[in-house]
Amino acid sequence: MKYEKPFTNALQGGDKAFREMKNFSKTAPIFETSVFSFDSLEDVDAYLNGDPDMYMYSRLDNPNNRQLETRLAALESAESAVVSSSGMAAVFAAVMGLMKAGGAVSSGTRIVTSRYLYGGTRSLFFQELVPLGFTIVEVDSESPDAVLEALNESPRDCLNILYWETVSNPGMKAADIRKLTEAAHASKPGKGEDGCGLEILVDNTFLSPALFRPLEHGADAVLHSTTKYLNGHSDATGGAVLSREEVVEHARKAVINFGSQLSPFESWLTLRGLQTLPMRMERHSSNALDIAARLKELPEVYNVCYPGLDSLRDSFPLGAGGMLSFDLESSAAAGRFIRGLNMISFSPSLAGLQTTVSYPASTSHRNQSDEMLRSQGISRSTIRLSVGLEDPDDIFQDIQQALKGGEDV
């Protein structure tokens, strides 16, 4: 429609072109809007009465977010999902969702977790949740007895959230999720006579649902930093919580009320990445296994950690992901190695298409003491390697020449 005045044409001209479309674009459009329009008051009533095909405000919901949530739920075999602005926002929303679904209050909630926890999550737990009344209990993830002991020491009328990572960051310690969940649920089946409930929350960021689905192995909820493998292109930040409907709806309220919604464009970028997730994860895994095996043969390299090499490799028949870590002789050697790399870049994140390295002692675990680092299997010479999709010969050649002081091999 054309109007007589230029101001009106600039604002309204041509709007019917998309409002009256009778077919659909092959690729989902980006609904980069803060608010949606209605044709009538009856439509507003329909939305407020729960019409699932209507939207009002992108802080509450958006078609791009809805599509991403639906696809993630299908990938993780979950009833429902909610996305958030980051992986850390997802951790917080997941804890809130489990706590409220379990009928608990913060002062009656214990989080039992691994001492090999990602540094950012550990900071959230101890710096933010403890002052709110949560109790955090760290245990040795490699000792099932220690986990069960921590659960059995729970006071009466307390919700226990068992929080685990499928593969720890950056120590690369793989958890036997099936064995862990079976033992935990056997110890506290539902809400026992002591009034204690149990929910098992798993961070599946390092494996993704292409390789492992914790809900199929007894977990109650799963979360992701979608920034990593789900997006896969290092160009969108986000998070996701997946669980039964009740938990997700409480988590969704936390996302809305704390203002941690994912933007439509970030959702769209993550949806684009999901289309190649299985292929990418297969390649990441095969490359990482190749590189890990070669690193173990180098005299300059110590303590190569990759889940595909250890006793739990049979737990991941589809692959063990693209993340590994190793130690060098000293922190000075680690610095020389990073400076000597040519193709591989030093980037404090992970899971992109290109191979990158990070130095945990100065990034994710920067504020931790030497003693705390050692307790998590990390040293000041630990290198974390995010193995990309390049030819593994080229990846290894760059590693070799950097270990030799930056000289060409």
Side-chain angles (χ1 to χ4, degrees), residues 200-406:
I200 298 177
L201 171 60
V202 177
D203 181 342
N204 196 30
T205 297
F206 270 28
L207 292 184
S208 88
L211 301 180
F212 188 75
R213 291 176 288 278
L215 294 175
E216 296 177 0
H217 296 270
D220 298 294
V222 174
L223 67 87
H224 288 272
S225 170
T226 62
T227 311
K228 312 304 192 299
Y229 285 120
L230 297 184
N231 167 265
H233 293 69
S234 304
D235 57 7
T237 303
V241 179
L242 305 102
S243 185
R244 59 188 186 274
E245 188 71 36
E246 180 187 16
V247 172
V248 169
E249 287 313 301
H250 283 298
R252 188 183 305 280
K253 289 177 182 176
V255 168
I256 292 171
N257 292 334
F258 282 88
S260 54
Q261 291 73 24
L262 187 61
S263 78
F265 187 44
E266 307 279 290
S267 282
W268 186 88
L269 288 170
T270 304
L271 280 161
R272 172 220 50 194
L274 279 180
Q275 296 177 78
T276 59
L277 177 68
M279 293 176 286
R280 286 188 288 107
M281 294 311 297
E282 181 179 0
R283 176 77 174 185
H284 281 300
S285 297
S286 62
N287 274 4
L289 181 60
D290 183 317
I291 298 300
R294 295 198 215 187
L295 285 172
K296 286 181 73 71
E297 303 300 319
L298 296 180
E300 308 95 327
V301 174
Y302 309 90
N303 192 32
V304 177
C305 296
Y306 179 64
L309 294 177
D310 67 21
S311 60
L312 286 176
R313 60 184 176 274
D314 293 339
S315 299
F316 310 116
L318 300 178
M323 299 302 303
L324 62 90
S325 67
F326 58 89
D327 288 349
L328 298 178
E329 185 178 10
S330 64
S331 58
R336 289 193 299 271
F337 170 73
I338 291 171
R339 289 192 298 273
L341 292 166
N342 292 326
M343 180 187 77
I344 301 170
S345 64
F346 173 34
S347 301
S349 191
L350 56 100
L353 302 174
Q354 298 87 12
T355 300
T356 61
V357 297
S358 186
Y359 182 62
S362 288
T363 54
S364 61
H365 293 66
R366 182 179 185 86
N367 296 320
Q368 298 190 12
S369 66
D370 288 346
E371 181 181 359
M372 189 174 295
L373 290 175
R374 283 193 297 271
S375 72
Q376 299 173 78
I378 308 167
S379 76
R380 297 203 178 273
S381 65
T382 297
I383 298 291
R384 188 188 70 189
L385 183 68
S386 175
V387 181
L389 307 186
E390 305 93 343
D391 190 286
D393 289 342
D394 291 330
I395 298 171
F396 190 66
Q397 183 180 31
D398 197 28
I399 291 171
Q400 276 190 305
Q401 66 85 24
L403 289 170
K404 294 182 182 298

